[in-house]
Amino acid sequence: MLSLRGVGYRYAGYSTPVLHDIDLTLADGEIVGLVGANESGKSTLCLVTCGLAPGSIGGALTGGGLVIDGEPMAGKPLHEFSTRVGIGFQNPITQLSGVTGSVFEEVALGPMNLGLTQRDTVERTKEALATLGIEHLAEREPRRISGGQGQLVVIASLLAMRPPHLVLDEPTAQLDPEGTRLVGEALRGLAANGTALLVAEHKTDLLDGLCRRVIVLEEGRIVLDGPAGAVLEDERLIDWGVDLPARVRLARATAAAGIDPTMVSV
Ligand SMILES: Nc1ncnc2c1ncn2[C@@H]1O[C@H](COP(=O)(O)OP(=O)(O)OP(=O)(O)O)[C@@H](O)[C@H]1O
Ligand SMILES: [Mg+2]
């Protein structure tokens, strides 16, 4: 379980915080969606949740703190965070290590660094590649793959580490519908094994049905936090710069046209 209580954060060199009074709990096995317009603070909140802000990039918390499994994390060295919370960045290509010669090695790097045996490392790596349907990339050079393939490789690396908490910042931004579907399935599998996930996404269709809860950010504040079904149907989402899922748009369109909703299926 990971929680933030009353957390604010300002970037280094700035006096004004970009996050204010954030309360967030990620229970084991729970997938929480994070939505909001551009610049609402999603990426910043992801960085704070995994301890990279302020731990690695500087700046300062302006209140509250991060607690993981009952332990306050203030002042802990970065390696204490990295084994407890995984993170996938908004631009995944920057996350490729740059030191491996093949996608297989790239995905194996994380489990190897955890000190797993060679056998377990190979097993986890194969499983992660298969889960995301990218076994065929195993021998390719990580530098010579497409943006979408790179995104899947980074997610495979995170899956292979099986972190107890995982923060993903727009994990499907560069993926086609099939890649997006496979990532959704993979995240569901990870949560079923106890990982707590925070997933920042503009694609509300992915979050609908995947998340138990959804949080809406506006200008660095949580303006709504509740069960995914209810939040994703909220009238105010469009004002907050968030797309409604197709399911909700269709229901509204049919209602507006006076069509019996039971005659329509998605
Ligand atoms: N490194 C930084 N230094 C200073 N300010 C920053 C930095 N990164 C982001 N910001 C500011 O913090 C605010 C929140 O940005 P953030 O990237 O967290 O938003 P976001 O919701 O992830 O947006 P997007 O949907 O475009 O990814 C913005 O006003 C942004 O300009
Ligand atoms: Mg962002």
Side-chain angles (χ1 to χ4, degrees):
M1 154 119 48
L2 179 156
S3 63
L4 296 170
R5 284 281 159 269
V7 166
Y9 172 75
R10 63 171 175 73
Y11 279 100
Y14 291 79
S15 53
T16 319
V18 295
L19 292 179
H20 313 269
D21 205 19
I22 301 288
D23 284 328
L24 167 72
T25 300
L26 302 178
D28 296 349
E30 184 178 45
I31 308 182
V32 176
L34 177 62
V35 297
N38 291 136
E39 294 191 33
S40 56
K42 300 181 299 298
S43 294
T44 309
L45 180 53
C46 288
L47 293 172
V48 168
T49 305
C50 73
L52 287 179
S56 171
I57 66 166
L61 295 186
T62 55
L66 172 64
V67 175
I68 300 181
D69 295 330
E71 217 177 309
M73 298 302 285
K76 299 252 186 214
L78 263 188
H79 67 83
E80 290 268 350
F81 291 88
S82 57
T83 49
R84 292 169 178 222
V85 197
I87 175 138
F89 296 126
Q90 184 163 349
N91 182 0
I93 300 304
T94 59
Q95 205 166 347
L96 294 172
S97 69
V99 299
T100 58
S102 73
V103 163
F104 193 93
E105 285 172 26
E106 181 71 28
V107 175
L109 201 60
M112 231 162 59
N113 283 337
L114 289 178
L116 296 184
T117 62
Q118 193 176 355
R119 193 170 144 198
D120 287 347
T121 298
V122 168
E123 192 182 307
R124 282 196 190 192
T125 304
K126 284 186 174 168
E127 188 186 307
L129 293 173
T131 304
L132 295 173
I134 51 171
E135 301 106 310
H136 61 288
L137 298 180
E139 299 309 322
R140 295 277 296 277
E141 266 186 71
R143 281 179 304 136
R144 295 178 199 277
I145 55 179
S146 76
Q149 290 171 332
Q151 187 140 40
L152 290 172
V153 170
V154 167
I155 295 171
S157 311
L158 294 166
L159 292 181
M161 294 183 69
R162 298 185 191 161
H165 308 90
L166 180 58
V167 176
L168 295 171
D169 192 1
E170 301 200 30
T172 70
Q174 301 184 50
L175 299 184
D176 60 21
E178 179 58 6
T180 302
R181 190 187 66 75
L182 287 171
V183 168
E185 287 303 311
L187 301 187
R188 216 173 259 126
L190 209 56
N193 284 317
T195 295
L197 287 124
L198 179 68
V199 183
E201 258 296 346
H202 285 288
K203 290 181 188 170
T204 47
D205 281 328
L206 172 70
L207 300 182
D208 196 25
L210 177 67
C211 299
R212 190 186 299 173
R213 272 170 44 226
V214 171
I215 290 171
V216 186
L217 269 186
E218 189 193 37
E219 295 183 359
R221 292 180 194 279
I222 293 178
V223 287
L224 191 61
D225 176 355
V231 170
L232 294 174
E233 288 178 11
D234 196 285
E235 299 285 344
R236 296 163 293 178
L237 279 189
I238 294 170
D239 298 335
W240 287 324
V242 179
D243 273 340
L244 296 170
R247 168 182 69 80
V248 178
R249 279 185 277 129
L250 183 65
R252 293 205 181 154
T254 51
I259 298 168
D260 176 359
T262 59
M263 304 298 286
V264 182
S265 66
V266 215

